Amino acid sequence: MDSASNDRAQLPRNMIENSMFEEEPDVVDLAKEPTLNPLESEEVEYEPRSSRLLVRGLGEHEMDDDEEDYESSAKLLGMSFMNRSSGLRNNVGNYRQAQEGLCPVPSARTVIVSVVVVVILVSIVTVIYLLPKCTFTKEGCHKKTQPVELIYPIATNGQRFPWTKSRLPNYIKPLEYNITLYPNLTTMTFSGKVNIKLNATGNANAIVLHSSGLQDIQANVTLRSGATHNLSVLEYPTFEMIAMVLPETLQKGTECLLTIEYHSNFSTSYYGFYKMSYVKEQNISTWLAATQFEPLAARKAFPCFDEPAFKSTFRLEIKRSEEHTALSNMPKIKTTVLPDGRLDEFATSVKMSTYLVAFIVSDMKNVTKDANGTLVSIYAIPQKIDQAQYALDTAITLLEFFSDYFGIKYPLPKLDLVAIPDIQAGAMENWGLLTFRETTLLYTENSSSLMDKQLITQVIAHELAHQWFGNLVTMEWWNDLWLNEGFATYMEYFALQSKFKDLNADDKFLKARCDAMDKDSLQTTHAISTDVQSPEQIEEMFDDLSYIKGASILQMLNVYLTTDIFHKCIEKYLSDHKYETTKSDGLWDSMNQVVGSSRDVKNIMKTWTQQAGYPLVTVEKKGKEVYVSQERFLRTVNSSKATGNSSSTLWHVPLSYIFGPCNGPSENGSFLLNQTQGKIGLPSEPCWLKFNVNMTGYYIVDYGHDGWDALIKQLRSNPTVFAASDRVNLIHDIFVLSGVGKEPLLRAFDLLAYLVNETEPAPIQQALHQTRIIHSLLAKQGFSYLAANLEMRIFNLLRDKIDNQKWTDDGTLSAQELRSLLLDLACMHGDDHCINEATQLFNIWQYNGTRLPTAVKKIVFKVGAHTDDGWGYLYSMYNTSLSEAEKIKMLEGLASTDDGKKLQWLMSASLHGEDIRTQDFPAVIHFISKNVPGFLLAWNFVKQNWDEITQKFPPGSFPIQSIVTKVTANFGTEVYLNEVINFFNSTKGKSRDMWCVKEAIEAIKLNIQWIDKNRDNLNWL
């Protein structure tokens, strides 16, 4: 989506657009409302008075006398000039006699007069529009620092709303909140009262804060004198703001107490204070309520200053029924018995942003353990609390690790991790009250696989890392979201590699980096630190770039600075900014203080945070000398446009390399490429040379014809010279380069020939990922013969490994991952032996209740669901299973059917929350879109239900990004390109402006270009 470049709301344009739908004028004249306080002049942009004439309702019949005079003067000036011209034309003496049929020739005097008049008009226009620091009005020239006339928005009651920007004013800041909530899980409503202690950081005549969907708002203010005044509440839903004009000016440095009472319905989406139900034992349905405030939804639960920079303390009281439990960020300190329930009071929080406030009312159970003075608890619905022990042990291990590593003890007295039955996010880092999907927190030995354990551990690590990166130190505004999410993602993988080495976190991070680079190579990508203002733009910041690219550049910096120095930089950053907010520069400044003058971290890293994309490093070897150059890499079939160079696309690239002398062991080196080109001297001429060791750098490399041939030769002779991560890197880079025509696709497949000797899952996974992209694109455009040949080529390459696989849970995580990859490939290929084994296991499970091996369970479900009887049984088991890890595998199995009616039902049921929770709707769309029978069904369903989808999942949110990307990923014809463009152009709101829509359209164009270039050149398959 496009964004405004600054905080200033573009009110005049918005009002013009609104005027098409509103009969009443949308502005008021400040001069006619002298009692209302204007904002300080430096805070606003003043508009020429004449601009008001553009607004409907202020036409020629509604102008005041001065405006009529101004309009009349303009008309007179025009008429005077016309009359003079007319007189000149009528004066025959001033014109030479023209021949019949020819135009008359003007006299010299006429030409001179005309030129003079034009010069005068041009001069006037130049003075008006080019005079510096001047806004021209009918009264004359006014400097911008002088208030002329301000156009304010109109509140819902028709009065002037005293603020014009989409961001809150900074002349009042909250110091502490006291919030009392009265949720009613019978009527599905809640009421609330909030007392906010405020401090004026500048003179203020009005209080402006956020509120969305709250009703019957009543407010009063207690001033320093002790007097309490009732306030009129002005509401401006466009900005989700309310305002109250104060009875007297609040002087800078003084405090007041604002009290607001309100009520509301529980949210029907996943944002704000929302309700959900779950089925207890004996098939009894019960309700619970929970919160999800990030990024902009605290305002839906209580009026607040809902921007990250407005940190404050919070004290909550929550009324509940006797059978329920209330949870919040802080421990409960008191419970009062009331005639109709209980009132729980919670301790005052540390200073934090509003999006981290959280509360839950439910009948959940918990398991608890003390960890060095911090009470750690896992909460789940009663019938699943026996699945909580692994999460409890893991949370304690990671809490102790992070406290030691950061040198700052976790600051709260308790840490609750709650498994929510229905939640949009994978998890949320609310300070002291972390919320999770059940799939990312609950684990059982008999039904969860080692891959499930890896996921749970990762997500817990991510959310615990947020307690420091995001909660203790918070980004000042959402443009720097990567400071939260990039650091939490990096620390998630770092913690697992440090404390859970058997979970192969490095392989998972490696795949994530490859996926992020694919997104970041599009022209429609964005810098990880980029200006955002609207809610849709803020939602779209929660993407792979903020998370994975952010983590990737931190890993690259870690390698460049060395682990010990990077660790000290992290400690310095947290210490410098704890309990405050900061920007990217705050991180780099802290790091520079540690590093000193030897390296300018800020100068290096700004090239990675403020520029979109990443570099392609081209390598040319000449004897012992290596010449390297950089240019931006763009994924396009036209190789002449696959890169772009300008002064704005120059990175400081910390290159790492490994080379193999023709005789002797391999050697390593490093080089900072901070210019377009550079030269590296080696001690001897290498037989092969590879850059980006372990793929810790965020760039790709082209070695040229000879360089690639040398690497392919080495892979075939002895692949273990390279680490598994380096083999992944080579596979990724050569396929990406072949996709833009820089390397032949045949050479990429020549490199894959070494896979017969590959033993690690990560390189095989990357090879299957790259070839499946091509296979899916060919199959879904109707090139089934080529797709089948490609599949056969890969199957034959890995046949021996497939034949050696056992349908068990034996072995390490790596062994189980490899088993799952290979058997899934074989069954998708239609291998008889694989399908027979899977079918036999499914039948034994169905008729005897025999436990299925967790490593192959998903494959068995997918094969078994291809019969009507198998599909029906799998669905019945889905409804009764208590393991969410197992249910998501069952859901993928159900979505693998070729029956269009069943696929249609799955999409409808998941969208409406009927038997399948709405949180899983994006996953259902993904599963169905992967298969040839389902991808068009999924696209048509999304089109037909777009309005409902965007009501449940906000535009720009990660679920919407996933749905748009997955459902259009394999379109490769002009027909579908035009259909996608026309559909999103026809939608309500700002769907067509979303980044994910622009990325989808660009990806389809690339697919079309790839098909056109390669379909006639794939005979070698």
Side-chain angles (χ1 to χ4, degrees), residues 328-380:
S328 188
N329 304 86
M330 299 299 290
K332 182 167 55 178
I333 58 175
K334 181 181 178 182
T335 297
T336 302
V337 178
L338 303 176
D340 56 347
R342 304 287 186 272
L343 184 67
D344 292 331
E345 182 179 341
F346 298 88
T348 302
S349 76
V350 295
K351 191 177 176 184
M352 63 184 184
S353 301
T354 49
Y355 77 86
L356 295 171
V357 176
F359 34 88
I360 298 170
V361 178
S362 72
D363 64 348
M364 290 185 177
K365 305 300 181 184
N366 68 291
V367 293
T368 301
K369 187 175 180 180
D370 182 85
N372 295 325
T374 301
L375 200 62
V376 181
S377 300
I378 310 296
Y379 284 83

Side-chain angles (χ1 to χ4, degrees), residues 858-923:
K858 180 176 70 174
I859 303 165
V860 172
F861 290 157
K862 288 166 69 175
V863 171
H866 276 273
T867 67
D868 287 341
D869 182 59
W871 196 94
Y873 181 74
L874 186 62
Y875 174 64
S876 67
M877 295 303 293
Y878 174 86
N879 281 326
T880 58
S881 175
L882 290 178
S883 169
E884 289 300 316
E886 183 177 62
K887 290 181 75 170
I888 200 69
K889 297 180 183 70
M890 291 177 171
L891 201 54
E892 185 167 0
L894 293 169
S896 67
T897 179
D898 294 338
D899 189 325
K901 290 183 178 180
K902 289 185 173 69
L903 295 176
Q904 194 76 18
W905 180 85
L906 281 173
M907 291 185 286
S908 178
S910 58
L911 177 60
H912 299 110
E914 300 167 354
D915 295 336
I916 303 170
R917 291 199 177 274
T918 303
Q919 67 177 10
D920 293 324
F921 174 73

Side-chain angles (χ1 to χ4, degrees), residues 410-435:
Y410 174 74
L412 304 189
K414 64 97 172 174
L415 177 68
D416 296 337
L417 294 80
V418 185
I420 303 291
D422 200 8
I423 178 174
Q424 174 187 296
M428 177 60 205
E429 67 267 21
N430 315 301
W431 214 344
L433 185 61
L434 289 66
T435 52

Side-chain angles (χ1 to χ4, degrees), residues 792 794-804 829 831:
M792 177 62 75
I794 299 301
F795 177 77
N796 288 337
L797 193 62
L798 299 171
R799 180 187 290 273
D800 290 344
K801 289 181 174 54
I802 293 171
D803 291 342
N804 290 330
H829 176 65
D831 178 65

Side-chain angles (χ1 to χ4, degrees), residues 674-695:
N674 54 12
Q675 301 295 328
T676 303
Q677 298 177 331
K679 184 175 74 172
I680 304 170
L682 302 178
S684 61
E685 182 177 359
C687 284
W688 55 265
L689 170 68
K690 184 198 177 290
F691 278 78
N692 201 0
V693 178
N694 292 321
M695 201 181 173

Side-chain angles (χ1 to χ4, degrees), residues 162-230:
W163 188 245
T164 63
K165 302 179 184 180
S166 60
R167 297 272 297 274
L168 291 175
N170 59 9
Y171 54 73
I172 288 185
K173 293 187 177 180
L175 298 177
E176 59 185 55
Y177 291 77
N178 281 279
I179 303 168
T180 303
L181 293 165
Y182 305 92
N184 189 320
L185 291 174
T186 300
T187 63
M188 298 303 166
T189 62
F190 67 94
S191 58
K193 177 180 180 180
V194 57
N195 295 312
I196 312 175
K197 185 178 180 181
L198 303 172
N199 177 59
T201 56
N203 294 341
N205 281 36
I207 301 172
V208 182
L209 66 165
H210 287 110
S211 172
S212 177
L214 305 180
Q215 305 162 12
D216 297 334
I217 301 174
Q218 305 293 322
N220 64 67
V221 64
T222 301
L223 301 176
R224 182 173 56 178
S225 63
T228 298
H229 303 270
N230 292 328

